Amino acid sequence: MSTDVAGIANRIIANIEKVIIGKRPQLTLAVAAYFSEGHILLEDVPGVAKTMLARALARSAGCTFKRLQCTPDLLPTDVTGVNVYNQKTAEFEFRAGPVFAQTLLADEINRATPRTQAALLEAMGERRVSVDGQTYVLKPPFLVIATQNPVDQEGTFPLPEAQLDRFLIRLSLGYPSMEEEGKMLSRLQMGHPIDELKPVVTAEDVIACQEAVRGIHVDEKVKRYILEVVHASRNNEDVLLGGSPRASIALFRTAQALAAVTGRDFALPDDVKRMAQPVLAHRLILKPESRLRKRTAVAVVKDLVDDAKVPITDKMKATQQDYFS
């Protein structure tokens, strides 16, 4: 790899850790998703720095950032933009919506109506927006980070399967430990560290990392392992709707990205194992009777990974020989 993906990733993560304490595993997965050109769904209780993660990630990469507060009265044009008539020029002018930022935070996305949620689909899938027959290409690197609160479901519109499938990964930050929360209180005493956060890489660095990730070697045995896990989800007795081909692609790309972020030019089965739950759990729809038995998508994904036979690749053999020689 000509691009130092691991070095750039470490600079971004270290910078975000000035704001968010003790969440390096989640930050690593978020950066891997970013380098995979995917979008992130943050599902967690209020007050655990979901919004702060999005702001810190955008600021660390020197990218433009917009925050969209989703509410039931939000319209699709509030997301994409609208043509406005200019009386001076006697022509319509396009006023771009927040989706034209390089990093868009859709806060509490499940509070927006399905019609407004759908306004994000084209942007997320194709990196472009169509308004009144005109197509606008979004500036790379484009990232959507959406948040939703899994506890308070009053007045919400659950994301449909088609939109959930467009999120590359789903993450939860979780509560900090008492020690981490104590450090947080000390840092916040004189002001919020996000106000002092400076870019540590450029948008061009991120794009270079995204291109480098595509070149990470994935052994045929690892590809087969990915397919076995995803196909097993379609035949699982607890699952009504399993992983789509988009899920296979997502697991493939994130395994590449995780390998690059950790400094390797080849993907291992362990990369697939680590990314399986963030990539697959939100895509699986369980049968009603399975939900009644308290089965969860996370538990099903764990079983799928445990049941799949882990391959031994040539790269793994070479690494073991170097270790023992």
Side-chain angles (χ1 to χ4, degrees):
M1 292 183 295
S2 57
T3 304
D4 182 14
V5 179
I8 292 171
N10 285 331
R11 291 208 300 273
I12 293 174
I13 293 168
N15 203 44
I16 297 174
E17 285 183 323
K18 295 176 182 177
V19 179
I20 299 173
I21 300 170
K23 301 297 178 185
R24 179 165 279 259
Q26 291 92 328
L27 298 182
T28 301
L29 296 182
V31 171
Y34 196 17
F35 289 174
S36 301
E37 301 174 61
H39 307 290
I40 303 167
L41 179 62
L42 294 175
E43 185 177 85
D44 219 326
V45 296
V48 293
K50 299 188 296 294
T51 302
M52 210 53 59
L53 170 57
R55 290 180 61 191
L57 184 58
R59 194 166 287 194
S60 297
C63 293
T64 56
F65 173 81
K66 293 287 185 183
R67 180 177 180 271
L68 183 68
Q69 181 60 56
C70 296
T71 55
D73 61 347
L74 194 73
L75 298 175
T77 51
D78 295 328
V79 179
T80 59
V82 65
N83 284 310
V84 177
Y85 184 73
N86 188 327
Q87 291 183 335
K88 290 183 178 180
T89 60
E91 294 180 348
F92 282 95
E93 296 178 351
F94 178 65
R95 291 187 180 176
V99 76
F100 283 86
Q102 290 172 303
T103 303
L104 173 67
L105 170 64
D107 215 356
E108 296 186 296
I109 190 173
N110 55 337
R111 293 201 177 278
T113 61
R115 183 184 175 198
T116 303
Q117 291 176 11
L120 284 168
L121 291 180
E122 183 182 18
M124 293 173 67
E126 301 171 36
R127 265 67 175 180
R128 65 184 187 183
V129 173
S130 299
V131 179
D132 294 340
Q134 182 72 35
T135 299
Y136 303 90
V137 177
L138 300 174
K139 185 178 180 180
F142 177 66
L143 171 68
V144 173
I145 300 180
T147 72
Q148 64 177 7
N149 177 3
V151 179
D152 181 14
Q153 297 300 322
E154 186 176 346
T156 62
F157 303 87
L159 294 175
E161 288 72 31
Q163 185 136 7
L164 281 172
D165 206 28
R166 278 173 168 79
F167 284 102
L168 189 72
I169 64 171
R170 182 180 66 182
L171 293 177
S172 294
L173 292 175
Y175 288 121
S177 67
M178 189 176 295
E179 182 182 351
E180 291 164 353
E181 203 161 350
K183 291 180 182 177
M184 181 189 71
L185 295 178
S186 299
R187 287 191 187 181
L188 291 173
Q189 184 172 349
M190 303 305 294
H192 205 295
I194 190 71
D195 298 329
E196 305 298 327
L197 208 64
K198 304 295 182 186
V200 291
V201 300
T202 64
E204 289 71 25
D205 290 330
V206 174
I207 294 170
C209 287
Q210 291 174 341
E211 292 172 352
V213 160
R214 290 180 176 271
I216 296 297
H217 175 73
V218 183
D219 192 277
E220 289 299 323
K221 293 177 182 177
V222 177
K223 291 180 186 177
R224 180 75 183 181
Y225 182 54
I226 291 170
L227 295 174
E228 286 177 359
V229 171
V230 176
H231 277 250
S233 73
R234 301 170 191 169
N235 302 314
N236 189 277
E237 61 180 9
D238 292 312
V239 177
L240 182 65
L241 183 66
S244 67
R246 189 184 280 131
S248 302
I249 296 168
L251 197 51
F252 177 83
R253 293 295 303 281
T254 52
Q256 287 180 302
L258 190 61
V261 166
T262 51
R264 280 180 279 108
D265 60 358
F266 59 94
L268 293 172
D270 283 347
D271 298 320
V272 179
K273 282 184 175 182
R274 188 174 178 190
M275 297 307 309
Q277 188 262 317
V279 168
L280 293 177
H282 65 287
R283 302 172 192 267
L284 304 185
I285 300 177
L286 302 188
K287 294 177 181 177
E289 56 269 29
S290 299
R291 293 200 300 269
L292 286 173
R293 290 190 284 108
K294 305 296 183 184
R295 286 285 283 168
T296 64
V298 172
V300 170
V301 172
K302 184 179 184 302
D303 290 344
L304 294 174
V305 172
D306 289 344
D307 292 343
K309 185 178 178 181
V310 180
I312 303 295
T313 66
D314 294 337
K315 289 280 189 181
M316 293 171 67
K317 291 177 182 177
T319 303
Q320 289 173 349
Q321 287 174 358
D322 292 341
Y323 181 78
F324 289 110
S325 59

